[in-house]
Amino acid sequence: MTSSPGCSRTRPLRLQQVQRWDIETDVVVIGFGAAGACAAIEAARAGAKVTLFEVAAGSGGTSALSGGEIYFGGNGGTPIQRTAGFSDDTEDLFKYLMLAGGPNADEAKVRLYADNSLRHFDWLVGQGVQYKNSFIPQRIVEPTTDDCLIWSGSEEAWPFVEQARPCPRGHTPQFMGMGGGRYLMDVLTQRVHDAGVDVRCNARALALIADEYNAVHGVVVRIDGSERCVRARRGVVLCAGGFVMNREMVKRHAPHLLRSQHPIGAVDDGSGILLGQSVGGATINMSEGFVTLPWYPPESLIKGIFVNEQGQRFINEDCYHGRVSQHILQQRGNRIFLLVDGASYGEPEFGKFANIEIGGTGETWEEVEKELDLPEGTLTATVALYNRYAAQGRDPLFRKAAKWLSPLVQPPFVALDCRIDHCFYASFTLGGLDTLPTGEVLNADREPIAGLYAAGRTACGLPRWGAGYSSGMSLGDATFFGRQAGSSVAARSSG
Amino acid sequence: MTSSPGCSRTRPLRLQQVQRWDIETDVVVIGFGAAGACAAIEAARAGAKVTLFEVAAGSGGTSALSGGEIYFGGNGGTPIQRTAGFSDDTEDLFKYLMLAGGPNADEAKVRLYADNSLRHFDWLVGQGVQYKNSFIPQRIVEPTTDDCLIWSGSEEAWPFVEQARPCPRGHTPQFMGMGGGRYLMDVLTQRVHDAGVDVRCNARALALIADEYNAVHGVVVRIDGSERCVRARRGVVLCAGGFVMNREMVKRHAPHLLRSQHPIGAVDDGSGILLGQSVGGATINMSEGFVTLPWYPPESLIKGIFVNEQGQRFINEDCYHGRVSQHILQQRGNRIFLLVDGASYGEPEFGKFANIEIGGTGETWEEVEKELDLPEGTLTATVALYNRYAAQGRDPLFRKAAKWLSPLVQPPFVALDCRIDHCFYASFTLGGLDTLPTGEVLNADREPIAGLYAAGRTACGLPRWGAGYSSGMSLGDATFFGRQAGSSVAARSSG
């Protein structure tokens, strides 16, 4: 390795060590998921020569593993929201995203996204992404049909509903069945090629090339077993995903996520984040992650109540499944049950896939308590209290909305077993490089690092709080801020 | 600022930019708290020329604000433990510290500390730190007398007690009243001077000086309003505290700590951590912090039960006050009550100071529930369940030890108001630079950064999990690993 002595994803190759440029381009994009695709498209259309490196054999990344759903709204609503009878106000979208972002929400990013979400929808449609003009009012995880609009977050649930007028905002492409993420990526991939981007797959970014002041001038890439020094005259955009598959890194930063044995990622080995850190990029929110068990549909299960190992309730069950699951992970102990009665029970749609089984049944709640071997008087007291208020249409403890409240009084009674170490709790990370809305990577004093940009899960964007996550936020963030980064880097004068 | 163009705590001055060395030394130590003092002593005694820079007017740092308590044990026990009748096994200390460190405990550091804790005690005694050979068996926060040994953690509480044989390990110096940290620092300060360390107070470290490969060669310091380039031939040791006083940094990394309105720190502005990051140092556990409300003594209060805004219990109350407080912060809502009866009530010793007031009273728990305006049937059901099992000497839900269990049945009944936004919840950060036991600062691939060391709260050491923190862990870590860093840097050949 004569061209890059001692460099690695955590040690940049210094500019003066570069012996020759094997490839010269204006913009380097690393990673061919949704963020990288959108960054490449915008940079190329702005006139930059763009080279995209992807470690896998083709496009997709973690985006292609998703349902393809994007969180759109505001500005009166998308055509699909309006047809479904919703006029979504920009301020409601803004407030919802601020709350969803948690205590460290990025107001500048949320503002830009909320103001431009509708234009971004139009842009994606312009790329060829098709959406059916249809709405599924029932609470589901993602459409198994080719339908579009769903309630994909906690919009109607406390405390969100108190701060922002609820509106369904999850938009899934017109693709039959689940897996719309692959469809979305196929469309974007075609646009990347149309835009003239030089795409190099099976190419691993090994190190950044930076001068002694950490300004980024390129990247060392391994292609066909040999290392090439790639000059990026305007800048490098890191779109290499998060770090959920790097279990050592998860242990160091977000050890609670190790309880989920189902990390969701294509590569997501943290290399994008590490590359950014190697030139002084600051990471934020590294302890946050998304965790979920797809415990509904059917939505009748939302009428049930979750209890922990102490037989206590802990959440309004009408929240988004990810928010509920985040709270599940905070409970003491591993055992978690969803209690339903004869009126509310329905076999969980993903029950088999998610390993949700029946943990106990009974003609009385006392029998269920006993069968679950919970201390006498725990589960039964919880159900009694819940039923007492549910009969009045109230949930003074956790504020589940009235439409989901009905006393659990019709036998047989069922406890669904949602044990953390047994069921399918999927997870991915939400921490990453601190960036401006332009995609510029910041150091720990929030000063931009010349020539370095990031988007998607390599950066810390709109989704940054497990308890606030809503389906469609990641792809919304990746596509929108991928575009911002592509436009910004293309506009930069050559380094 | 001709000597250091564009450098800052987040941007190193490059070696080739140094026009002249204003000061030349072997070892630079930044920060004059316990870690810095111990690093300086060991480095100087090993023959290095040591210069210590402290931003304040004198020694002390956050260490001097503490009770001076250190967590010692193992190896059969300190003389004080043995006199009190405890023979502490090294493996029990090891297991306890591993559990206390949480899911990302540093086994190498814990092992070294457990094996050498007794030798470290002897070393401190050798420096002149005096300990009275006395034990206070009651559960307290810190001695108000000049006594030494106390139960300063969760040793006797579940789950710790199941994994490590309990032993009291908090050792407070022989100093009348609280504030033994100042005494400890006075002793160490004298030894620093005795060892011939060149101490410069009112001196702020502005930036590290590093070559293009981020090897550290010195530091830019502001003294008397002018900037000096200081050459450190063997290395720089960062002992500049944590970041709890840098509220923007807390927001970015540990926003839950913002709920504590009482950050504990002397400087603790994060500059040590930022300096380390500026040359590629990796941070870990940045979201973790210590939070506590000193709600006992008297220890009879431990017979009470904590309930949240939903009237639910959530913790075995016989844990260390910091562990209880950590769980308080995880509850939904701001209202927290400690319920005691006529038999267990005692005025909280720090009640006035900590703003713990009586929130409600009654001749029955129903009256208390009503006075607190909690939903009918919540608090009362919790007390009934607790009492039912307490009468049998059991706590099947949270496993409080039998000695603290007695039914809360003797009126008057009292709810102490422990609201998070009203009471004195003290806090400091536990995240910092990733280091080896030698103090060497690591990059994100855990490779040492040449010439850079850290100890104390600038590093991430033994205490790294709010729910596992025990009094004395921070000073134990700071003094012990400060010494390691001092020995290591002194042994390094000149850069």
Side-chain angles (χ1 to χ4, degrees):
Chain A
M1 190 170 103
T2 54
S3 65
S4 48
C7 73
S8 71
R9 59 188 185 170
T10 56
R11 296 172 182 266
L13 179 66
R14 292 297 168 193
L15 191 54
Q16 67 265 32
Q17 302 294 117
V18 175
Q19 294 176 356
R20 67 156 195 281
W21 293 114
D22 300 297
I23 299 171
E24 298 201 37
T25 188
D26 293 328
V27 171
V28 162
V29 175
I30 296 173
F32 203 172
C38 290
I41 292 168
E42 291 288 35
R45 289 194 189 153
K49 181 177 174 186
V50 179
T51 308
L52 189 159
F53 298 103
E54 163 60 43
V55 68
S59 76
T62 304
S63 304
L65 303 178
S66 77
E69 198 176 313
I70 296 187
Y71 205 82
F72 291 118
N75 311 279
T78 63
I80 300 149
Q81 288 175 312
R82 290 197 302 270
T83 301
F86 297 96
S87 71
D88 195 10
D89 192 84
T90 300
E91 289 315 297
D92 288 314
L93 174 59
F94 174 80
K95 285 180 205 155
Y96 182 83
L97 288 175
M98 283 300 291
L99 193 55
N104 192 25
D106 187 327
E107 187 171 341
K109 283 181 186 160
V110 169
R111 172 53 65 196
L112 194 70
Y113 189 84
D115 286 351
N116 292 283
S117 173
L118 218 58
R119 273 187 283 272
H120 184 51
F121 172 81
D122 291 340
W123 184 86
L124 279 160
V125 170
Q127 306 315 304
V129 181
Q130 296 192 319
Y131 294 96
K132 187 173 172 182
N133 199 341
S134 62
F135 170 50
I136 300 177
Q138 291 80 25
R139 286 283 295 278
I140 61 170
V141 171
E142 66 177 89
T144 51
T145 57
D146 66 349
D147 289 300
C148 177
L149 187 63
I150 66 166
W151 293 98
S152 73
S154 300
E155 298 84 0
E156 292 186 297
W158 186 90
F160 302 86
V161 69
E162 288 191 344
Q163 301 196 26
R165 197 167 53 103
C167 184
R169 300 192 183 100
H171 290 67
T172 314
Q174 185 166 7
F175 175 84
M176 185 53 72
M178 298 172 82
R182 182 68 259 175
Y183 161 78
L184 176 72
M185 282 309 304
D186 287 343
V187 174
L188 292 174
T189 299
Q190 191 53 53
R191 294 295 87 73
V192 167
H193 290 296
D194 294 349
V197 174
D198 178 13
V199 175
R200 313 281 185 105
C201 290
N202 300 305
R204 181 181 293 277
L206 300 176
L208 291 177
I209 298 171
D211 64 28
E212 64 268 42
Y213 302 108
N214 281 338
V216 173
H217 296 266
V219 61
V220 181
V221 179
R222 187 166 58 221
I223 307 176
D224 298 334
S226 68
E227 294 177 11
R228 320 281 174 91
C229 285
V230 182
R231 183 177 181 202
R233 283 180 289 256
R234 300 191 197 172
V236 172
V237 190
L238 302 170
C239 303
F243 63 96
V244 78
M245 307 309 280
N246 182 334
R247 303 308 272 174
E248 185 53 42
M249 207 166 154
V250 172
K251 179 170 183 289
R252 251 178 267 159
H253 296 289
H256 71 284
L257 291 185
L258 294 177
R259 297 185 66 193
S260 147
Q261 293 158 33
H262 303 279
I264 304 294
V267 179
D268 294 282
D269 61 356
S271 59
I273 293 168
L274 294 170
L275 287 168
Q277 287 186 280
S278 76
V279 292
T283 54
I284 57 172
N285 272 45
M286 292 293 277
S287 62
E288 282 294 328
F290 166 83
V291 174
T292 207
L293 174 76
W295 59 273
Y296 62 78
E299 67 174 16
S300 64
L301 292 173
I302 297 173
K303 294 190 173 179
I305 59 174
F306 275 98
V307 295
N308 60 22
E309 204 166 282
Q310 290 78 39
Q312 299 172 317
R313 267 182 90 207
F314 50 88
I315 188 75
N316 42 331
E317 294 81 4
D318 55 346
C319 291
Y320 174 66
H321 50 83
R323 179 173 166 86
V324 170
S325 303
Q326 197 75 28
H327 281 78
I328 286 175
L329 234 65
Q330 290 166 8
Q331 302 309 302
R332 174 183 282 198
N334 178 54
R335 301 176 78 200
I336 295 286
F337 301 100
L338 175 60
L339 308 180
V340 282
D341 71 349
S344 51
Y345 177 74
E347 195 177 338
E349 192 171 316
F350 302 103
K352 242 179 207 150
F353 164 72
N355 279 337
I356 300 174
E357 293 161 6
I358 291 178
T361 58
E363 290 301 306
T364 65
W365 284 113
E366 284 74 14
E367 285 179 25
V368 176
E369 182 178 84
K370 200 162 189 179
E371 189 169 335
L372 299 179
D373 202 23
L374 293 176
E376 194 184 323
T378 53
L379 179 151
T380 45
T382 297
V383 173
L385 191 69
Y386 176 78
N387 283 350
R388 168 181 173 176
Y389 287 107
Q392 305 166 19
R394 298 201 295 139
D395 177 16
L397 273 69
F398 295 99
R399 310 201 203 179
K400 184 153 70 169
K403 70 183 274 201
W404 306 110
L405 293 172
S406 53
L408 304 170
V409 291
Q410 184 184 310
F413 300 114
V414 177
L416 289 167
D417 184 343
C418 300
R419 261 175 302 163
I420 298 166
D421 65 354
H422 181 72
C423 297
F424 182 88
Y425 285 83
S427 62
F428 52 82
T429 58
L430 296 176
L433 295 170
D434 192 13
T435 56
L436 291 177
T438 55
E440 291 166 277
V441 176
L442 301 172
N443 72 14
D445 273 335
R446 302 212 89 210
E447 300 161 339
I449 293 167
L452 190 65
Y453 301 76
R457 282 298 56 74
T458 300
C460 188
L462 298 177
R464 52 173 66 190
W465 187 44
Y469 192 87
S470 307
S471 279
M473 281 179 69
S474 281
L475 277 181
D477 176 77
T479 52
F480 184 83
F481 290 102
R483 290 178 61 204
Q484 303 302 313
S487 300
S488 304
V489 66
R492 184 166 173 261
S493 49
S494 296
Chain B
M1 192 167 103
T2 55
S3 65
S4 47
C7 73
S8 71
R9 60 188 184 171
T10 55
R11 294 171 184 266
L13 179 66
R14 290 299 168 192
L15 191 56
Q16 66 267 33
Q17 301 295 117
V18 175
Q19 294 177 355
R20 66 156 197 281
W21 293 114
D22 299 297
I23 298 171
E24 298 201 36
T25 188
D26 292 329
V27 171
V28 162
V29 176
I30 295 173
F32 202 171
C38 291
I41 291 169
E42 292 288 36
R45 289 195 189 152
K49 181 178 175 188
V50 180
T51 308
L52 189 159
F53 298 103
E54 163 59 44
V55 67
S59 77
T62 305
S63 305
L65 303 178
S66 78
E69 198 177 313
I70 296 187
Y71 205 81
F72 291 119
N75 313 279
T78 63
I80 300 149
Q81 288 175 313
R82 290 197 301 270
T83 300
F86 297 95
S87 71
D88 195 11
D89 192 83
T90 301
E91 288 316 295
D92 288 314
L93 173 60
F94 174 81
K95 285 180 206 154
Y96 183 82
L97 289 174
M98 283 300 290
L99 194 55
N104 192 25
D106 186 327
E107 188 171 340
K109 283 182 186 160
V110 169
R111 173 52 66 196
L112 194 70
Y113 189 84
D115 287 351
N116 293 283
S117 173
L118 218 58
R119 274 187 283 272
H120 185 51
F121 173 82
D122 291 340
W123 184 86
L124 279 161
V125 170
Q127 307 315 303
V129 182
Q130 296 190 318
Y131 294 96
K132 186 172 171 182
N133 198 341
S134 62
F135 170 49
I136 300 176
Q138 292 80 25
R139 286 283 295 279
I140 61 171
V141 171
E142 67 177 87
T144 52
T145 58
D146 65 350
D147 288 301
C148 178
L149 187 63
I150 66 167
W151 293 98
S152 74
S154 300
E155 298 84 0
E156 293 186 297
W158 187 91
F160 301 87
V161 70
E162 287 190 346
Q163 301 196 28
R165 196 166 54 104
C167 184
R169 301 191 184 100
H171 291 66
T172 314
Q174 186 167 5
F175 175 85
M176 185 52 73
M178 298 173 82
R182 182 67 259 176
Y183 161 78
L184 176 73
M185 281 309 303
D186 286 343
V187 173
L188 293 174
T189 300
Q190 191 53 54
R191 295 295 87 72
V192 167
H193 290 297
D194 295 347
V197 174
D198 179 14
V199 175
R200 314 279 186 108
C201 290
N202 299 306
R204 182 181 292 278
L206 300 176
L208 291 177
I209 298 171
D211 64 28
E212 64 269 42
Y213 301 108
N214 280 339
V216 173
H217 295 267
V219 60
V220 182
V221 180
R222 187 166 58 221
I223 308 177
D224 299 334
S226 68
E227 293 177 12
R228 320 282 174 91
C229 285
V230 182
R231 183 178 181 200
R233 283 180 289 255
R234 300 191 196 172
V236 172
V237 190
L238 302 170
C239 303
F243 63 97
V244 78
M245 307 308 279
N246 183 333
R247 303 307 272 174
E248 185 53 42
M249 208 167 154
V250 172
K251 179 169 184 291
R252 251 177 268 159
H253 296 290
H256 70 284
L257 292 185
L258 294 177
R259 296 185 67 193
S260 146
Q261 292 159 34
H262 303 278
I264 304 293
V267 178
D268 294 282
D269 61 356
S271 58
I273 294 168
L274 294 170
L275 287 167
Q277 286 185 281
S278 75
V279 292
T283 54
I284 56 171
N285 271 45
M286 292 293 277
S287 62
E288 281 295 328
F290 166 83
V291 174
T292 207
L293 174 75
W295 59 274
Y296 62 76
E299 67 175 16
S300 64
L301 292 173
I302 297 172
K303 294 191 173 179
I305 59 174
F306 275 97
V307 295
N308 60 21
E309 204 168 282
Q310 291 77 38
Q312 300 172 316
R313 267 183 90 207
F314 50 88
I315 187 76
N316 42 331
E317 294 82 3
D318 55 346
C319 292
Y320 174 66
H321 50 83
R323 179 172 166 86
V324 171
S325 302
Q326 198 75 26
H327 281 78
I328 286 175
L329 235 64
Q330 290 167 6
Q331 301 309 302
R332 174 183 280 196
N334 178 55
R335 301 176 77 200
I336 295 288
F337 301 100
L338 175 60
L339 308 181
V340 282
D341 71 349
S344 52
Y345 177 74
E347 196 176 337
E349 192 171 315
F350 302 103
K352 243 182 205 143
F353 164 72
N355 278 338
I356 301 174
E357 293 161 8
I358 291 178
T361 58
E363 289 302 306
T364 64
W365 285 113
E366 285 73 13
E367 284 179 26
V368 176
E369 181 179 84
K370 201 162 187 178
E371 190 169 334
L372 299 179
D373 202 23
L374 293 177
E376 194 184 323
T378 52
L379 178 152
T380 44
T382 297
V383 173
L385 191 69
Y386 176 78
N387 283 349
R388 169 180 174 177
Y389 287 108
Q392 305 167 17
R394 298 201 294 138
D395 178 16
L397 273 67
F398 295 99
R399 310 202 203 178
K400 184 153 71 171
K403 69 184 274 200
W404 305 111
L405 293 172
S406 53
L408 303 171
V409 291
Q410 184 183 310
F413 301 114
V414 177
L416 289 167
D417 184 343
C418 300
R419 262 175 302 163
I420 298 165
D421 64 354
H422 180 71
C423 297
F424 182 88
Y425 285 83
S427 62
F428 51 82
T429 58
L430 296 176
L433 295 170
D434 193 12
T435 57
L436 292 177
T438 55
E440 292 167 277
V441 175
L442 302 171
N443 72 14
D445 272 335
R446 302 212 89 208
E447 301 161 339
I449 293 168
L452 191 64
Y453 301 77
R457 283 297 57 74
T458 301
C460 188
L462 298 178
R464 51 174 65 192
W465 188 44
Y469 192 87
S470 307
S471 279
M473 280 179 70
S474 282
L475 278 181
D477 175 78
T479 53
F480 184 84
F481 290 102
R483 291 179 59 206
Q484 304 302 312
S487 301
S488 304
V489 67
R492 185 168 174 260
S493 49
S494 297

